[in-house]
Amino acid sequence: MSEFRKDLTTCAYCPNTCRPSYAANASLQIESQTPSALSLITLAVLNRQLPLDAETRQALSRRGPLEASVGHCTYGLNMPAVIDAALVTWIDHD
Ligand code: SF4
């Protein structure tokens, strides 16, 4: 789990330097849908600060910018894979 937290924390505090990977599509510019935002939401779930309820799942399902970041991450991270693995591991151990 710690490797997921490390990557999630890196992404949560990153100023979305992968943004040029989705800059051409204005509909993807919503701050609550950036990789950083989804990483912060995932960390909040892991820390039990946020329930993994329907509202949270819906927020985490808005993955356009997250998917667009693959191959464009400053840190070489695959954040869709990190978020999926972190949540699956968390659910399995909850
Ligand atoms: S995916 Fe990479 S570049 Fe984009 S916000 Fe997360 S850490 Fe930053």
Side-chain angles (χ1 to χ4, degrees):
M1 180 62 79
S2 62
E3 70 274 19
F4 301 138
R5 286 184 181 275
K6 178 175 171 290
D7 292 346
L8 287 166
T9 301
T10 296
C11 188
Y13 290 98
C14 174
N16 287 295
T17 48
C18 57
R19 187 181 291 271
S21 67
Y22 51 91
N25 187 337
S27 67
L28 298 178
Q29 299 298 325
I30 301 169
E31 290 304 318
S32 63
Q33 298 181 19
T34 62
S36 291
L38 298 195
S39 292
L40 197 57
I41 291 170
T42 303
L43 277 172
V45 170
L46 300 188
N47 293 335
R48 300 181 187 282
Q49 296 164 326
L50 198 63
L52 191 55
D53 59 11
E55 192 174 355
T56 301
R57 288 176 189 272
Q58 185 177 24
L60 289 171
S61 74
R62 298 180 180 121
R63 297 172 66 119
L66 185 69
E67 299 289 350
S69 74
V70 176
H72 302 280
C73 174
T74 303
Y75 302 97
L77 301 173
N78 182 328
M79 288 313 298
V82 170
I83 288 174
D84 287 344
L87 290 173
V88 165
T89 303
W90 183 81
I91 289 168
D92 285 348
H93 291 88
D94 189 39

